[in-house]
Amino acid sequence: MAWFSGGASNRALVENLASNNLITTERVKNAMLAVDRAHFAPAAPYADSPQSIGHAATISAPHMHAAAAESLLPFLNPAATTRVLDIGSGSGYLTAVLANLVTPSLAARVASHRGGGEAVGGGGAASGEGAGEGAGTVIGIDHIQALVDMARGNMGKSEEGKKMLDTGQVQFVKGDGRKGWAEGAPYDAIHVGAAAAEHHQILVDQLKKPGRLFVPVEEDFMQHIYVIDKKEDGTVTRKKVMAVRYVPLTDAPKE
């Protein structure tokens, strides 16, 4: 049903994803309602399909963003102590959704704006209490400076997105995502938005106890999503979830 979930507006897209059971929780639904995908996708933003954003990168289909958010949700506590890493952040869309998921009282603020019928805060949390107050931190990392700049610009298209950037609740940095981002570790949740050529132990090392990693991995000429959990005692479990097709997690193109 994924390919039939597009809509004429952000709200229609999210409602269709929910109707098709691709979004299964109110928290993820509210977070995706709060971020207007038109601020991040260059064309046909409400189609449920991946799109090129230049620099050999793509913005994933909304149903894949929903799947990642739903999987990571148990580790996305809306509290100041929560830390999240989004590797291969690209356009910044999922970074914004994750930021909303670690922002307290999002549901109440979304509900207060439902009369408007559209996305609540564009690139950030719904209007109301200030972004960053008691909220967790989300770091988006990409290996191409132009994409880092694009993500910041996209996030800044809304007032609340600007607040998230200004308060440091959302940060975009340039770096090799295969190595994670040690400066912000450890993380409650790590999302990888490109297919890794192998299981990178350093990403598991940067998880909290407990913590969860959502990562596509190439194997046997295919790609599969793995959900990797680090438990409180430090033991690690890996679960292969589904076959996917992502751009590879690679070195930056030669300049």
Side-chain angles (χ1 to χ4, degrees):
M1 295 296 291
W3 296 95
F4 302 99
S5 296
S9 66
N10 195 68
R11 179 170 297 280
L13 167 65
V14 175
E15 293 288 355
N16 287 340
L17 288 167
S19 295
N20 291 328
N21 294 317
L22 297 165
I23 294 175
T24 59
T25 63
E26 281 297 308
R27 282 186 63 199
V28 170
K29 182 178 179 180
N30 286 336
M32 292 182 70
L33 284 171
V35 181
D36 191 343
R37 199 166 181 268
H39 289 174
F40 299 86
Y46 308 127
D48 190 19
S49 59
Q51 297 178 31
S52 171
I53 55 174
H55 309 282
T58 62
I59 177 174
S60 296
H63 71 270
M64 286 308 306
H65 286 144
E70 291 283 359
S71 177
L72 295 173
L73 189 61
F75 297 85
L76 300 177
N77 187 33
T81 55
T82 300
R83 301 189 66 81
V84 182
L85 181 64
D86 183 20
I87 297 173
S89 48
S91 71
Y93 172 78
L94 186 59
T95 316
V97 172
L98 294 170
N100 276 277
L101 284 168
V102 297
T103 298
S105 68
L106 170 65
R109 286 180 284 128
V110 168
S112 71
H113 286 75
R114 285 199 169 175
E118 252 316 313
V120 177
S127 302
E129 64 185 62
E133 295 181 5
T137 300
V138 183
I139 300 172
I141 182 171
D142 209 291
H143 62 345
I144 300 173
Q145 186 62 48
L147 292 178
V148 174
D149 296 340
M150 177 192 295
R152 288 180 184 146
N154 290 343
M155 193 83 187
K157 290 176 182 178
S158 73
E159 179 180 347
E160 292 303 319
K162 290 178 184 176
K163 289 180 183 177
M164 286 181 168
L165 292 171
D166 291 344
T167 61
Q169 181 191 352
V170 172
Q171 304 165 33
F172 291 102
V173 298
K174 180 184 178 184
D176 186 346
R178 295 170 296 186
K179 300 177 181 178
W181 186 250
E183 288 87 338
Y187 301 99
D188 297 86
I190 299 176
H191 167 264
V192 182
E198 59 184 290
H199 287 281
H200 294 289
Q201 180 61 38
I202 194 169
L203 301 183
V204 178
D205 293 342
Q206 290 181 19
L207 285 173
K208 289 184 182 179
K209 303 174 186 177
R212 175 168 289 179
L213 167 63
F214 181 98
V215 55
V217 179
E218 294 185 6
E219 51 187 8
D220 299 326
F221 304 102
M222 297 183 66
Q223 297 176 1
H224 292 91
I225 293 291
Y226 277 84
V227 174
I228 301 174
D229 286 343
K230 181 188 284 187
K231 299 181 180 179
E232 290 185 7
D233 63 3
T235 59
V236 176
T237 62
R238 290 180 169 87
K239 181 179 180 181
K240 185 189 292 188
V241 178
M242 58 180 152
V244 291
R245 176 55 57 188
Y246 279 73
V247 296
L249 187 66
T250 63
D251 295 321
K254 301 288 185 181
E255 295 184 357

